[in-house]
Amino acid sequence: MTEPRNPGMSSTAPVHPDATSPAVEMDPVEYTLRKRLPRKLPKRRNDVYVNMKTDFRAQLARCQKLLEGGGHREICVHGLGLAINRAINIALQLQTSSQGALQLAANTSTVELVDDLEPEDPDEAGEPMTRTRNNSAIHIKVFYPDPQ
Amino acid sequence: MSAAKVKMREKKMRNQPASVQYPSSQGSGQEGGDTPSTGATGGDGPSDIHRSTDRQKKHHHRSGWVRGHQRDGGSYDKEMPKYITGGAFAKARAAEVSAMLKAVTKTTGSSHVFGALPKHMRRRAMSHNTKRLPRRLRDVANRLREKSLQAGSKKKKEQAKCKSRKARRRHGNLLLEFNRRQRKNVWLETHIWHAKRFHMVKKWGYCLGDRPTYKCYRPSYRAMSTHCLLQDLSYYCCIELQGEEDKLLASLSQLTSKEAGPTFAAVLCTSGKRQGSVVVYRAGLYPSQPLGPVTFLWRPRTQGSTHRQLWIWAHPTNKQDLLAELQSVCQCTEAIVPPLVPAATTAETGPTPEPETRPEKTPEATRLPGTKRKRNCKDAGEPPAKKILGDGTRSPTCPVTWRSNSTGIVINDLTMEIVRYRLIGPQSHSVLAETFEAATDCDERNKSQTSSLWWPEHCKDESKMNLHRQQADVFHILKDIYSTGELPAGTVLGLAVDDPRLTLPTKKVKALPSVKQTQEVDEAEEEKRRELMLRGVPEHCCQSSLWDQSVRDNVTNNKMSEQSVFLAICVLQELNRMKSEVLVPGSRLSSTPPQGRVPVLLVHQPGKQVGHEMSSWGAGWDLLLPKGWGMAFWVPLVYRGVRIGGLNMSLKHSQNKGIPHFPHDYPDCPAGVCFEEEQEAELLNKFKRRPPAKRTNYIKHGCLAPFRCPWQQLAEEWELIAMQTTTRTDTLTEEETTSRPDDGVAKPQSRFTVLRNRKSLRLLSDWCRPTTSKGQRRCRVGQAPPLDSSAARQFLAEHGTSVVWVRLSLPSKGKPELHAAVCVPVAEDLRLLNKKLDGGGPQEPLHKNHFKSRIKRKKKGAKKAATSSDKTDGKESDLPNLTTSTENPKSSSESSADLIFGLWPDPLPSVTSHCSRVTLGWVTQGDFSLSAGCGEALGFVSVAGLLNTLLDQPAEHRGVVLLRNPASLQYRLAKINIEV
């Protein structure tokens, strides 16, 4: 259970300073980029936020534990940005290892992220800027279908 | 064996009357004559008898206690005596009997009466209650007891008892006692709450809670990372500056430098929207002589006025220096003596009657009694409250306000005027949102009449009420935010709130965010929330009445007492009950008593900003309150399920955030130096309390200075090494430098500095190639100029004698401790690292300390002082690396008076090359990091050393160093990170 340790438990996607943002022209010499954490929503027990820092096997094991030992009929695997791949991977692995007993339902969404641009020379550069950018996210519901 | 027997016999015979020995002395007198003959009874009979007895145990005697017997033992005939003289025999027996009686009656051992009792008759606490003794012994015991009581400190005890407990606990007397007790170390408003639950320490002129008495290290960490941890930071000192904006900025700009990051003049901060933080230097001396970090807050501009107000918050250890420096740069020399100013300023009077106590303990010490206790009736302005104040505690003539005639700047010392609480953790805003209700409007009829209270007056002004409504709106949005870290760092929000005691829950609850699910979120609200997250609180909402001295005093003086609050709560509940029966349930009452409105200021504290992982960990809010309201807000906050932390936790907080903690990690500031000395003395004391055999032998461990860090020496030595490296090859460097550190010491050099230049730091950080602490993800190196020797030389020309703040993470095992040494790995260490990493689980190579035996020998030499000095010399001179330390044993033995076993004597040899690995720096904070899940250390390394190391290292291992605890021989590989 590595997640509670990391406040940034939903994956912080690696976004480079020169990420595409048409709104603001940023000169990397003049500004420091500081990424804020993505907005968090309340988390249920059966929500799994996948990140790129924790070991893959650990995250997979965690999902399996929730499904088998935890007694949940369904879990939600969330991935943001770079972690989308991993979220899909986890979901598929879960399905394979259950020999088809599990079903998947995937949803995608867009998450708005906030960056702070701090001017290097704060006295002259005026207002530090804040910009928003969008990133994709995936939410995969992994569940046992009802017997009926 | 014989000697032992003799001794035993002597012991046995010690209390015997001399006459018992009579026969034996007779015998020995005849033969050896060494015992003084006792009786002149000298009949033949006794001797005869004696002879016979002698004969019986002759073999026993042979082994020998009376030497005469051995000689003539053989000559005695072995027959029984032929006759006994009755009289003489009886006489001798009588003497023996009387001796026996004497021996029996005489008490041996302890002189307690009950010592005479057999064990089974002894009882507990006999000496206390003589009735537990058998009656025959009571008289003696009583006599003894009286004697001991007289000898003891009977008088003192009785004097202390003179007041009954009831009298002592009476309110006024209790206050007197409290005032007396905080004359030296000031109490915070929450002192009594803390004192019941915390280990208190007296520090910096305050009584502060260090850590709770219950076990809560991990729960506190968890609170910081998932819920909320509360701390009382009221001991931080606030200095207020007022004046024209440009003049203020002009004066303050001397204290800071743009190179070290945003200054007082940062646009965002001067607008009053954000709190700023800055490291202050002595005027115009930027790279050298820093004073310490401060945070500052500008009051938002009022329209059409350039008059500004600025609060600077400083740690109590550097407040006095800072104040002096501020006075000099603002040319505020003219002290305003408090009595000249009527009531408004008097509240904050009373600083330093004794200027000789440098730390600012006294100002608050003197003030507290007046203002703190009994705040609801009279404050200091009025004739002193009769019962509480000892007059000597305060000196009203001492100024707290200084004005400058030339610049018009006014400096105000607001120490202890404003209560500051810090809430750390992602849920701290929900704690605040649940605890506070934005102040309710007052009744219509109240509006018409003038009131002495601030709130009714405030309500009359429509623009102010508008502002209040907006602020309340913003505050309301806070509830929709899930984590405190989502807000822009340093946001400020002014607010007026109801007395939180009125809404105190009956049971402790855990405040949780009430984030609505996305479906039911109102569009407009969502928009507002986005606005708040992006832009922060709008500028006009940062205004608060807390900035006004008069409002603060008014609120402080009109605080409701606990009883009236209780009454108010009762009334409220009653009303609520009636309402819920009659009307719509849940409608809030507006009948809070009019004095229950408090202006507060909420200041967002940024979380972890440096580094790449755990970003915005430990963000939170600071809550500023007018004085006197401390407990009124503390308890309601505690009832929202927060954890309370002490000084210990603030250290851990900054450690997890990876930022230096004041005064621990500011070795170049006067306060930091002072702290290091104190810490050394404390650690040394602790060390010396152990018996030498149980101490860590730091000499054996090759640790020169386990209790302090000789930064100056380190910086100088590395500067020398760096200079030589530029000319010579790398292999030569070590020996060269070790042979000549004396030159470096002898040459008068500038003091070392801590590198705070942002650009240089960024460059250095790129060169170190930062990675995440686990080393899993490598971050891209920026567009920095590549590291080569010319770039390094250029860098060193600027920052040769600097040390730099680094974070070291241990990817595998190891828990770094205080003052662990950071060392340079040699090539084979790196090879080992390579191999191990390829093999899967990276393991630490074990490094030997090759100096162990030599140090032992040296220690012996030092102990034996001058006798063996030449021998040690001979032994050591053949050691290539230790040339400098050759003369050390001698010098130390000369001053061996203060030689401590297991510690290096004072003139340290070369600190860099003492061990097999060259030392780069030391760790000032090290622990197992709960946030990273591995050992993490924070400390300083020499810039010159770091660059040298980086240059030598291959690119794929750049930034790998070794870490070794002072009490261990094990080196651990660590990754160096410089985070800007």
Side-chain angles (χ1 to χ4, degrees):
Chain A
M1 298 292 251
T2 50
E3 297 257 316
R5 271 205 235 128
N6 305 327
M9 74 193 138
S10 48
S11 73
T12 45
V15 181
H16 304 307
D18 48 358
T20 53
S21 169
V24 187
E25 283 303 316
M26 194 192 89
D27 184 358
V29 184
E30 294 299 322
Y31 287 95
T32 321
L33 178 95
R34 215 152 255 164
K35 282 175 267 182
R36 268 192 238 160
L37 291 182
R39 178 166 154 74
K40 275 195 263 178
L41 288 170
K43 188 173 162 252
R44 291 164 298 175
R45 299 231 132 204
N46 56 350
D47 275 327
V48 178
Y49 284 82
V50 176
N51 65 12
M52 296 304 288
K53 282 182 203 159
T54 315
D55 187 41
F56 176 81
R57 275 168 304 170
Q59 301 192 46
L60 185 65
R62 190 170 150 212
C63 296
Q64 269 164 346
K65 212 167 152 194
L66 278 176
L67 280 172
E68 285 152 21
H72 290 283
R73 294 289 297 169
E74 62 166 59
I75 61 168
C76 264
V77 182
H78 307 267
L80 171 69
L82 185 67
I84 290 178
N85 269 344
R86 188 173 268 199
I88 294 173
N89 201 349
I90 283 181
L92 290 176
Q93 295 254 340
L94 284 173
Q95 197 182 24
T96 323
S97 62
S98 72
Q99 278 113 26
L102 280 170
Q103 286 191 8
L104 306 181
N107 267 324
T108 56
S109 69
T110 305
V111 176
E112 195 169 71
L113 300 172
V114 183
D115 290 341
D116 288 324
L117 296 173
E118 290 183 0
E120 261 321 75
D121 191 355
D123 304 2
E124 277 124 56
E127 285 279 307
M129 285 177 287
T130 316
R131 68 173 185 194
T132 57
R133 62 189 157 83
N134 293 326
N135 211 341
S136 314
I138 194 167
H139 315 278
I140 309 171
K141 195 163 86 169
V142 183
F143 60 101
Y144 290 107
D146 282 333
Q148 285 85 25
Chain B
M1 176 178 130
S2 65
K5 283 229 165 125
V6 169
K7 223 192 242 166
M8 221 159 78
R9 176 167 191 264
E10 264 168 19
K11 201 173 159 196
K12 231 185 244 170
M13 302 309 271
R14 199 177 44 208
N15 285 328
Q16 298 296 323
S19 54
V20 173
Q21 290 170 354
Y22 157 63
S24 109
S25 69
Q26 187 83 342
S28 61
Q30 284 167 355
E31 289 128 20
D34 52 353
T35 353
S37 73
T38 46
T41 28
D44 330 351
S47 59
D48 278 343
I49 296 153
H50 182 73
R51 235 172 259 139
S52 65
T53 45
D54 263 341
R55 238 173 283 129
Q56 281 159 7
K57 28 182 162 170
K58 189 167 51 188
H59 58 281
H60 179 67
H61 283 188
R62 178 144 301 157
S63 61
W65 23 318
V66 183
R67 47 182 155 157
H69 287 254
Q70 290 167 335
R71 227 194 305 136
D72 42 3
S75 71
Y76 290 151
D77 45 358
K78 307 195 172 189
E79 291 151 30
M80 298 288 286
K82 296 243 165 62
Y83 59 91
I84 292 172
T85 321
F89 184 77
K91 224 189 238 171
R93 297 291 81 73
E96 275 180 3
V97 165
S98 69
M100 202 162 68
L101 281 178
K102 203 173 158 191
V104 162
T105 49
K106 191 170 177 188
T107 51
T108 59
S110 92
S111 56
H112 281 298
V113 186
F114 40 84
L117 279 177
K119 280 228 171 85
H120 70 275
M121 285 180 71
R122 295 190 191 165
R123 294 291 177 270
R124 195 164 50 86
M126 264 179 171
S127 55
H128 173 69
N129 186 358
T130 45
K131 293 215 170 130
R132 294 184 181 180
L133 279 169
R135 185 172 286 166
R136 64 190 163 86
L137 294 174
R138 260 178 225 166
D139 285 345
V140 192
N142 277 336
R143 237 178 293 136
L144 276 177
R145 186 157 170 262
E146 259 163 43
K147 219 197 277 173
S148 73
L149 275 183
Q150 270 168 4
S153 55
K154 194 171 109 194
K155 262 179 207 161
K156 213 172 84 193
K157 243 185 192 171
E158 274 188 4
Q159 265 193 349
K161 282 265 176 194
C162 66
K163 272 185 191 164
S164 69
R165 180 185 155 78
K166 195 180 168 194
R168 272 180 287 134
R169 302 297 295 182
R170 201 169 290 146
H171 187 62
N173 291 340
L174 203 57
L175 287 185
L176 270 180
E177 173 69 8
F178 286 172
N179 290 337
R180 186 189 63 72
R181 274 158 53 187
Q182 51 180 314
R183 219 171 280 163
K184 219 176 195 171
N185 291 292
V186 186
W187 291 359
L188 304 183
E189 287 184 22
T190 53
H191 175 84
I192 296 190
W193 192 96
H194 272 102
K196 289 172 183 168
R197 296 162 178 86
F198 275 65
H199 295 286
M200 304 300 283
V201 290
K202 294 194 168 73
K203 252 187 178 175
W204 314 315
Y206 296 87
C207 273
L208 302 173
D210 186 35
R211 60 196 191 281
T213 48
Y214 45 87
K215 291 180 183 173
C216 65
Y217 178 71
R218 263 157 200 270
S220 296
Y221 169 76
R222 240 176 277 136
M224 274 195 278
S225 51
T226 61
H227 195 246
C228 179
L229 183 92
L230 179 62
Q231 284 180 323
D232 189 354
L233 291 190
S234 308
Y235 60 91
Y236 267 75
C237 306
C238 179
I239 299 171
E240 184 183 61
L241 271 74
Q242 293 180 24
E244 302 298 312
E245 180 175 341
D246 45 349
K247 281 180 183 154
L248 273 180
L249 285 179
S251 332
L252 288 174
S253 64
Q254 299 173 41
L255 297 181
T256 55
S257 163
K258 270 189 205 171
E259 286 177 6
T263 61
F264 286 107
V267 176
L268 204 55
C269 298
T270 42
S271 68
K273 279 172 75 175
R274 302 281 163 87
Q275 176 190 250
S277 68
V278 78
V279 177
V280 173
Y281 290 78
R282 282 197 194 278
L285 294 172
Y286 155 60
S288 59
Q289 303 213 23
L291 286 178
V294 296
T295 57
F296 61 92
L297 189 61
W298 288 90
R299 183 178 188 173
R301 294 185 181 88
T302 44
Q303 259 128 28
S305 163
T306 51
H307 189 84
R308 297 300 299 272
Q309 213 174 334
L310 168 71
W311 279 348
I312 297 177
W313 291 85
H315 194 269
T317 46
N318 73 354
K319 177 194 138 190
Q320 220 59 323
D321 290 339
L322 181 70
L323 199 58
E325 206 59 37
L326 282 175
Q327 280 169 17
S328 75
V329 294
C330 299
Q331 299 154 23
C332 290
T333 44
E334 190 189 330
I336 298 172
V337 184
L340 299 179
V341 191
T345 16
T346 12
E348 79 201 51
T349 56
T352 39
E354 305 93 24
E356 80 270 12
T357 50
R358 199 191 58 83
E360 40 308 312
K361 353 195 124 146
T362 28
E364 310 79 30
T366 52
R367 155 158 3 104
L368 261 188
T371 53
K372 278 293 143 84
R373 322 275 146 206
K374 241 17 193 195
R375 62 272 295 203
N376 47 359
C377 48
K378 38 219 74 189
D379 209 271
E382 280 131 39
K386 51 213 171 246
K387 56 255 164 137
I388 314 162
L389 300 181
D391 244 332
T393 52
R394 49 188 286 120
S395 136
T397 52
C398 269
V400 283
T401 311
W402 295 269
R403 175 179 290 150
S404 151
N405 284 331
S406 53
T407 56
I409 295 173
V410 179
I411 297 181
N412 246 321
D413 182 4
L414 295 187
T415 312
M416 296 296 281
E417 280 294 289
I418 296 164
V419 175
R420 187 177 185 124
Y421 293 154
R422 175 163 291 174
L423 294 98
I424 304 165
Q427 296 304 314
S428 37
H429 69 280
S430 16
V431 171
L432 289 175
E434 196 166 318
T435 314
F436 301 146
E437 289 284 347
T440 40
D441 210 345
C442 43
D443 307 340
E444 286 305 317
R445 53 192 146 73
N446 277 2
K447 268 186 190 173
S448 54
Q449 50 196 265
T450 52
S451 163
S452 61
L453 304 171
W454 76 283
W455 183 248
E457 295 296 312
H458 193 88
C459 289
K460 278 177 203 163
D461 195 337
E462 195 49 44
S463 65
K464 281 184 181 168
M465 281 321 284
N466 254 336
L467 177 65
H468 173 69
R469 254 168 249 132
Q470 286 173 13
Q471 286 175 342
D473 266 355
V474 173
F475 183 69
H476 197 69
I477 301 171
L478 276 188
K479 285 179 188 163
D480 292 340
I481 287 173
Y482 188 77
S483 155
T484 306
E486 289 170 35
L487 291 164
T491 310
V492 180
L493 173 64
L495 199 64
V497 297
D498 276 344
D499 190 338
R501 287 174 294 179
L502 296 174
T503 49
L504 190 71
T506 46
K507 264 173 98 175
K508 225 183 208 182
V509 291
K510 193 164 185 181
L512 288 172
S514 56
V515 181
K516 294 165 206 135
Q517 287 300 316
T518 35
Q519 293 88 358
E520 63 220 48
V521 170
D522 190 4
E523 272 305 308
E525 272 195 18
E526 178 65 21
E527 195 49 46
K528 269 189 204 163
R529 188 189 60 73
R530 267 199 63 192
E531 188 66 18
L532 179 67
M533 271 176 58
L534 286 183
R535 308 250 172 283
V537 179
E539 184 176 337
H540 58 272
C541 286
C542 307
Q543 190 62 263
S544 167
S545 308
L546 193 68
W547 287 94
D548 291 326
Q549 176 85 56
S550 53
V551 172
R552 281 204 307 266
D553 289 340
N554 189 311
V555 173
T556 303
N557 296 344
N558 293 310
K559 188 189 167 219
M560 281 191 291
S561 65
E562 290 296 324
Q563 287 98 329
S564 52
V565 167
F566 179 71
L567 280 180
I569 289 174
C570 288
V571 170
L572 272 183
Q573 279 172 348
E574 185 65 16
L575 279 176
N576 264 337
R577 199 175 54 77
M578 278 158 58
K579 255 197 170 174
S580 63
E581 281 164 7
V582 183
L583 293 171
V584 197
S587 61
R588 208 187 132 69
L589 289 168
S590 61
S591 61
T592 30
Q595 59 270 65
R597 267 52 160 242
V598 192
V600 299
L601 207 55
L602 301 172
V603 182
H604 184 260
Q605 291 297 316
K608 185 173 178 185
Q609 287 183 319
V610 295
H612 293 277
E613 66 265 3
M614 303 296 294
S615 118
S616 78
W617 182 91
W621 286 93
D622 271 15
L623 173 64
L624 308 189
L625 304 167
K627 74 171 175 224
W629 284 84
M631 276 318 281
F633 280 75
W634 184 263
V635 173
L637 285 173
V638 171
Y639 266 64
R640 262 66 185 200
V642 300
R643 284 254 163 204
I644 317 296
L647 293 178
N648 194 16
M649 264 306 136
S650 27
L651 188 68
K652 288 293 162 213
H653 180 225
S654 63
Q655 187 178 330
N656 277 321
K657 274 166 80 176
I659 54 169
H661 188 254
F662 192 82
H664 300 241
D665 305 323
Y666 285 82
D668 52 344
C669 298
V673 172
C674 196
F675 169 81
E676 280 191 341
E677 278 162 13
E678 274 167 31
Q679 191 186 38
E680 185 190 0
E682 189 186 319
L683 290 174
L684 189 64
N685 254 334
K686 201 177 165 196
F687 181 72
K688 279 201 274 191
R689 279 205 298 269
R690 290 182 156 266
K694 304 285 185 289
R695 288 180 197 162
T696 313
N697 191 337
Y698 287 111
I699 300 176
K700 273 190 179 178
H701 285 98
C703 179
L704 285 177
F707 305 139
R708 71 198 155 100
C709 307
W711 299 115
Q712 181 68 33
Q713 199 181 344
L714 179 86
E716 280 165 7
E717 280 176 24
W718 268 110
E719 199 191 15
L720 265 180
I721 297 176
M723 277 199 307
Q724 283 156 1
T725 348
T726 49
T727 52
R728 283 158 229 259
T729 54
D730 292 349
T731 44
L732 278 175
T733 20
E734 280 184 30
E735 284 158 43
E736 284 303 319
T737 46
T738 47
S739 64
R740 316 196 299 146
D742 293 306
D743 304 346
V745 176
K747 194 166 59 180
Q749 271 183 337
S750 58
R751 230 182 111 62
F752 77 99
T753 51
V754 174
L755 183 61
R756 296 202 179 88
N757 186 332
R758 288 267 284 250
K759 278 214 178 78
S760 311
L761 276 176
R762 194 155 298 143
L763 200 61
L764 211 53
S765 133
D766 280 340
W767 284 340
C768 281
R769 210 181 52 165
T771 62
T772 56
S773 73
K774 285 287 194 184
Q776 287 178 357
R777 212 174 71 191
R778 307 237 177 274
C779 288
R780 283 195 334 169
V781 183
Q783 317 67 344
L787 177 64
D788 51 33
S789 57
S790 68
R793 208 176 307 139
Q794 206 178 348
F795 194 90
L796 283 185
E798 260 184 275
H799 309 291
T801 50
S802 299
V803 292
V804 63
W805 175 251
V806 294
R807 186 172 65 86
L808 301 148
S809 52
L810 285 83
S812 52
K813 278 171 81 172
K815 181 194 154 201
E817 279 163 14
L818 189 71
H819 298 159
V822 183
C823 303
V824 182
V826 296
E828 60 200 77
D829 297 338
L830 292 178
R831 232 172 290 136
L832 209 61
L833 169 78
N834 221 1
K835 207 166 56 191
K836 287 287 155 61
L837 275 181
D838 291 343
Q843 271 198 339
E844 276 307 313
L846 184 84
H847 303 281
K848 272 267 177 292
N849 184 357
H850 309 295
F851 285 77
K852 207 171 155 190
S853 57
R854 291 169 200 169
I855 284 159
K856 195 159 53 176
R857 216 179 304 143
K858 198 181 309 156
K859 189 187 70 200
K860 215 185 284 165
K863 282 226 150 184
K864 272 190 243 158
T867 54
S868 62
S869 63
D870 36 40
K871 212 167 80 183
T872 24
D873 259 300
K875 270 178 197 169
E876 272 168 13
S877 52
D878 53 34
L879 307 181
N881 269 344
L882 257 182
T883 35
T884 48
S885 54
T886 325
E887 54 275 348
N888 263 309
K890 265 193 285 176
S891 61
S892 67
S893 57
E894 279 152 20
S895 63
S896 65
D898 57 337
L899 198 68
I900 302 152
F901 180 81
L903 275 187
W904 264 91
D906 205 19
L908 295 180
S910 157
V911 286
T912 47
S913 53
H914 182 68
C915 301
S916 58
R917 306 290 189 280
V918 185
T919 307
L920 271 182
W922 292 280
V923 165
T924 56
Q925 291 179 35
D927 202 352
F928 182 83
S929 161
L930 292 175
S931 57
C934 58
E936 268 200 329
L938 298 164
F940 291 98
V941 298
S942 154
V943 171
L946 182 64
L947 276 183
N948 254 1
T949 316
L950 292 179
L951 275 173
D952 291 347
Q953 282 177 341
E956 72 267 22
H957 287 312
R958 211 161 258 177
V960 172
V961 289
L962 296 173
L963 210 58
R964 188 165 69 93
N965 284 341
S968 141
L969 295 173
Q970 171 83 53
Y971 283 98
R972 304 276 188 195
L973 281 162
K975 188 87 189 68
I976 227 168
N977 290 299
I978 296 173
E979 289 160 344
V980 198

